[in-house]
Amino acid sequence: MTDTLKLFDLHGKRALITGSTRGIGLALATGLAHAGAAIVVNGREAAPAQALVDRFRARGLEADIAIFDVAEPERVKTVIDAIEAHVGPIDILVNNAGIQRRAPLEDFETSDWNALMRVNLDGAFHVSKAVARHMLARGRGKIINVCSVQSALARPTIAPYAASKGALRMLTQGMCADWAKHGIQANAIAPGYFATELNRALVDDAEFSAWLCKRTPAGRWGRVEELCGAAVFLASEASSFVNGQTLFVDGGLTSVV
């Protein structure tokens, strides 16, 4: 291994990925694990999280479990403090947990707006705050927020989702402003359209898929494993002077009109 490749090595690091039992979160957890990181699997329900921990351990990968809802700040703090005390330091945080609601803006329910903000934005704030307090004491840490192409682009029926992801992009820059001087790098990944079980209806919609493939320079949907390289880069020493940035992984979607 060359010195340059060693910069991407995550052995000896521990990564907490919120919402990591499926979809993009699962892909990122798997990618970081194969780069050497010990993984803390998070979800709201114990059974699927424990099943993933067991799968990782069966492959010889180090994994632990953290059950909390990112929208419950007191529970978040309690669990993260327990991990720090009894499992080990959280060196890498990936704020991945998120939800989607769709409706024309004039018909969008206030309860759905509040739910989106509570998970997509408030949740990242709560978890980052709880983890950063420990990172600040150590003088080092990596935070990766999972944004979206909707951090920069809007589409009909998802304006509140775009608002939450746009705010998360700015929160990333705010983390840099407050925490960079303390040795913390806070950056974001903005995925384009990736085929997951959560958007299966869109994937199976022939008209939408045709539009998307025509709109995206790469000409196709993304595969979730294609996000792992960006995550490893931002989680590793290779990105030691990268801070407050949003890396779009979108097949070129946001680069063209």
Side-chain angles (χ1 to χ4, degrees):
M1 182 183 292
T2 67
D3 289 343
T4 298
L5 291 179
K6 287 180 180 178
L7 293 174
F8 294 87
D9 186 4
L10 298 181
H11 284 89
K13 303 294 184 182
R14 179 170 287 101
L16 166 63
I17 302 93
T18 64
S20 46
T21 59
R22 59 181 179 172
I24 287 175
L26 173 58
L28 296 179
T30 303
L32 294 178
H34 285 295
I39 301 300
V40 180
V41 174
N42 164 256
R44 292 179 298 173
E45 300 177 2
Q50 187 60 56
L52 180 56
V53 168
D54 293 342
R55 281 165 49 195
F56 279 156
R57 290 176 176 174
R59 300 174 190 171
L61 303 171
E62 186 177 347
D64 291 280
I65 192 171
I67 301 303
F68 59 77
D69 185 331
V70 299
E72 298 176 356
E74 293 304 319
R75 172 67 177 171
V76 166
K77 184 179 184 303
T78 296
V79 174
I80 285 174
D81 287 348
I83 293 169
E84 288 274 345
H86 303 297
V87 178
I90 298 169
D91 305 288
I92 303 157
L93 167 63
V94 181
N95 284 308
N96 166 75
I99 62 172
Q100 176 65 288
R101 298 285 188 272
R102 297 177 184 274
L105 190 55
E106 67 274 16
D107 297 326
F108 211 91
E109 295 290 342
T110 299
S111 59
D112 286 335
W113 169 278
N114 291 337
L116 274 170
M117 297 302 166
R118 190 165 55 247
V119 175
N120 296 0
L121 182 59
D122 298 353
F125 166 72
H126 297 319
V127 180
S128 296
K129 181 179 175 182
V131 172
R133 284 175 168 166
H134 297 280
M135 290 179 170
L136 290 168
R138 289 190 287 268
R140 67 181 187 277
K142 298 277 191 173
I143 298 175
I144 303 170
N145 295 320
V146 178
C147 290
S148 167
V149 290
Q150 268 74 51
S151 298
L153 301 173
R155 276 186 54 75
T157 76
I158 59 167
Y161 176 84
S164 73
K165 291 299 186 176
L168 182 58
R169 184 180 182 185
M170 285 307 303
L171 180 60
T172 303
Q173 294 180 218
M175 291 177 181
C176 169
D178 276 10
W179 296 337
K181 62 186 177 184
H182 300 293
I184 295 175
Q185 287 89 55
N187 294 287
I189 296 172
Y193 284 85
F194 283 76
T196 70
E197 62 267 34
L198 295 180
N199 59 18
R200 175 53 54 187
L202 290 178
V203 176
D204 292 342
D205 184 329
E207 183 178 357
F208 181 86
S209 284
W211 171 85
L212 176 67
C213 292
K214 184 177 180 180
R215 174 68 177 79
T216 304
R220 61 177 176 83
W221 287 80
R223 300 183 295 272
V224 288
E225 60 269 21
E226 291 179 300
L227 292 165
C228 294
V232 170
F233 168 62
L234 293 176
S236 70
E237 287 305 306
S239 60
S240 60
F241 203 55
V242 179
N243 220 328
Q245 302 303 305
T246 300
L247 176 55
F248 285 82
V249 186
D250 62 0
L253 179 67
T254 54
S255 295
V256 300
V257 293

